[in-house]
Amino acid sequence: MVRKSFLSYNKTIWGPLELVEKLYPEAEEIGASVRDLPGLKTPLGRARAWLRLALMQKKMADYLRCLIIQRDLLSEFYEYHALMMEEEGAVIVGLLVGLNVIDANLCVKGEDLDSQVGVIDFSMYLKNEEDVGNKERNVQIAAILDQKNYVEELNRQLNSTVSSLHSRVDSLEKSNTKLIEELAIAKNNIIKLQEENHQLRNENKLILMKTQQHLEVTKVDVEAELQTYKHSRQGLDEMYNEARRQLRDESQLRQDVENELAVQVSMKHEIELAMKLLEKDIHEKQDTLIGLRQQLEEVKAINIEMYQKLQGSEDGLKEKNEIIARLEEKTNKITVAMRQLEQSDNDLLTQTRTIAMSLVKCASSDTQDQYKLVKDISF
């Protein structure tokens, strides 16, 4: 079974402690002071100095908590089975909170932190019987510790106020730069507005001079027009009365012309209706002609049949000849009647066309005269 270890076998403790500076901005001061210490040559010595300074600041638990939270960054320094990568790391960091109660005054300068410490001498931290009995010295030590706690608390408050003041200074500098830029822009705008105001005043003066000259000229023209208007008002009144009378007469004449135009339009509609009736009569006569032609063809067919029968029968030749003669007479009469009907139809067509053309010409001539008359009246 693999043992859990605090660090990887090929990494030093100084690597993750350097990473604390990026995760916790307040640890930058410790890192800088550790790097500035003389005599520290190994990463282990820097790590020991860093741990001593963190104990004196009472923030070791806070710094290590940042590392525990960002475990994905710790994979570079620890194995997957290391103690800091497991849940026990969070428990250890929680136990380190108790160190904040202890006032640590550890020496960093002048000690050999790079080499391994063999024996730890705790005699300096043990109290003798004489020291226990000395109450005044204990009171002095308690007062010194109280003063130290007060100074640490005051230092902490001052650090917080300094950081807040730094942030306020940064914001004020940014706002100051913005205000300077806005002031420069405002000054430029003021200069431009002053120039525009000067130009507008000059233009206003020119416009006032031009308007005054124009008003004087228009005043003279208005006075002259007023005099001419007074002189010509009588003539205009007479012309207005005459024009009003002419307008009344022309409106009456236009009304009469419109009435005649309506009568002509109604006559035109009647002529069109008569044309439609004539066309209908012509179509009916054409249908009768077609029927007569069909009858003639039937008679011709009968004649052919009779002629064939006459050739076949010699006995009734005379009777059939007579019948044929009669039929021929009938056919001749029918053809004559058909020719007469066709002639009469042609005559009717020519007559209707001439009548229609004459009516159309009359209507068009009347309408043109009426339109001319209406145009003359309107003009």
Side-chain angles (χ1 to χ4, degrees):
M1 185 173 180
V2 181
R3 291 179 64 191
K4 294 182 179 179
S5 61
F6 189 73
L7 290 171
S8 173
Y9 65 92
N10 57 354
K11 298 289 183 180
T12 61
I13 195 172
W14 178 241
L17 294 179
E18 265 190 326
L19 186 63
V20 176
E21 297 180 14
K22 299 178 181 177
L23 302 176
Y24 206 97
E26 294 182 5
E28 292 179 359
E29 185 179 354
I30 297 177
S33 60
V34 167
R35 281 188 287 270
D36 292 337
L37 284 173
L40 295 177
K41 298 178 181 179
T42 61
L44 184 60
R46 295 190 187 94
R48 287 172 179 170
W50 190 92
L51 290 171
R52 290 186 180 191
L53 291 172
L55 283 171
M56 285 190 286
Q57 281 188 348
K58 298 180 181 181
K59 289 186 178 180
M60 182 182 286
D62 297 332
Y63 294 155
L64 294 179
R65 189 181 293 111
C66 296
L67 291 174
I68 293 296
I69 292 169
Q70 301 289 334
R71 286 182 181 177
D72 54 347
L73 299 175
L74 294 177
S75 61
E76 183 181 354
F77 305 101
Y78 297 98
E79 296 292 337
Y80 69 93
H81 56 272
L83 190 63
M84 292 292 286
M85 301 296 289
E86 297 291 337
E87 297 295 331
E88 287 84 351
V91 176
I92 291 170
V93 171
L95 294 173
L96 290 175
V97 177
L99 294 175
N100 296 333
V101 180
I102 300 171
D103 294 327
N105 293 317
L106 302 173
C107 185
V108 178
K109 292 181 180 180
E111 291 195 5
D112 188 10
L113 299 175
D114 292 330
S115 61
Q116 185 70 31
V117 178
V119 179
I120 300 173
D121 188 10
F122 292 102
S123 61
M124 297 173 63
Y125 306 102
L126 296 175
K127 294 182 179 180
N128 297 323
E129 293 179 357
E130 296 177 356
D131 295 333
V132 173
N134 195 354
K135 294 182 179 179
E136 293 179 358
R137 188 176 179 183
N138 291 331
V139 171
Q140 291 176 359
I141 290 168
I144 291 166
L145 291 174
D146 291 335
Q147 289 177 0
K148 183 178 178 294
N149 292 326
Y150 174 74
V151 169
E152 287 178 353
E153 185 66 25
L154 186 63
N155 189 14
R156 192 178 292 110
Q157 291 179 359
L158 288 172
N159 287 327
S160 63
T161 54
V162 166
S163 61
S164 63
L165 286 171
H166 278 303
S167 61
R168 288 182 66 184
V169 166
D170 293 334
S171 64
L172 287 171
E173 285 178 354
K174 291 179 181 178
S175 62
N176 192 11
T177 53
K178 288 182 180 178
L179 289 171
I180 289 167
E181 292 175 357
E182 290 178 357
L183 182 63
I185 293 166
K187 286 180 179 178
N188 293 326
N189 291 326
I190 289 167
I191 292 166
K192 289 180 181 178
L193 289 171
Q194 286 177 355
E195 291 177 355
E196 290 179 357
N197 191 6
H198 185 66
Q199 290 178 359
L200 290 171
R201 284 180 178 177
N202 293 327
E203 291 177 357
N204 193 7
K205 288 178 181 178
L206 292 172
I207 290 165
L208 285 171
M209 290 173 66
K210 289 180 180 179
T211 50
Q212 286 177 359
Q213 292 176 359
H214 185 67
L215 284 171
E216 290 176 357
V217 173
T218 50
K219 189 175 180 181
V220 173
D221 294 335
V222 166
E223 289 177 354
E225 288 178 358
L226 184 62
Q227 290 178 359
T228 53
Y229 176 74
K230 288 178 180 179
H231 289 296
S232 60
R233 185 169 181 179
Q234 282 184 342
L236 288 170
D237 291 334
E238 293 176 357
M239 289 173 67
Y240 175 73
N241 293 323
E242 185 67 24
R244 189 172 181 181
R245 186 179 59 77
Q246 289 180 0
L247 180 63
R248 193 183 296 117
D249 296 334
E250 287 177 356
S251 60
Q252 185 64 35
L253 184 61
R254 183 175 180 179
Q255 188 67 32
D256 296 335
V257 170
E258 286 178 354
N259 293 328
E260 290 179 358
L261 183 62
V263 172
Q264 292 293 331
V265 169
S266 62
M267 288 176 66
K268 187 177 180 182
H269 287 302
E270 290 177 356
I271 290 165
E272 289 177 354
L273 184 62
M275 288 287 291
K276 289 179 180 178
L277 292 172
L278 287 171
E279 287 177 357
K280 186 176 180 182
D281 191 7
I282 289 164
H283 287 301
E284 289 177 355
K285 287 183 179 180
Q286 285 178 356
D287 293 333
T288 54
L289 285 171
I290 290 166
L292 290 170
R293 285 177 182 173
Q294 289 177 356
Q295 290 178 4
L296 181 60
E297 289 177 356
E298 290 175 358
V299 171
K300 286 180 180 179
I302 292 167
N303 287 330
I304 291 166
E305 289 178 358
M306 292 297 292
Y307 182 73
Q308 290 176 357
K309 289 179 180 180
L310 283 171
Q311 287 181 354
S313 61
E314 293 178 356
D315 295 332
L317 186 60
K318 291 181 181 180
E319 293 177 358
K320 290 178 180 179
N321 287 327
E322 291 176 356
I323 292 167
I324 288 165
R326 290 176 185 173
L327 289 170
E328 286 177 355
E329 288 177 359
K330 287 181 180 179
T331 53
N332 290 324
K333 289 179 181 179
I334 289 166
T335 53
V336 170
M338 285 177 66
R339 288 175 183 173
Q340 289 177 358
L341 285 169
E342 287 178 355
Q343 186 67 32
S344 64
D345 288 336
N346 291 324
D347 295 335
L348 281 170
L349 282 170
T350 53
Q351 287 177 2
T352 53
R353 285 176 182 173
T354 53
I355 290 165
M357 290 295 289
S358 63
L359 289 171
V360 169
K361 287 179 180 179
C362 291
S364 63
S365 63
D366 292 334
T367 54
Q368 286 178 359
D369 295 334
Q370 289 170 1
Y371 282 124
K372 286 180 181 179
L373 185 58
V374 170
K375 285 180 181 179
D376 294 333
I377 290 166
S378 62
F379 283 118

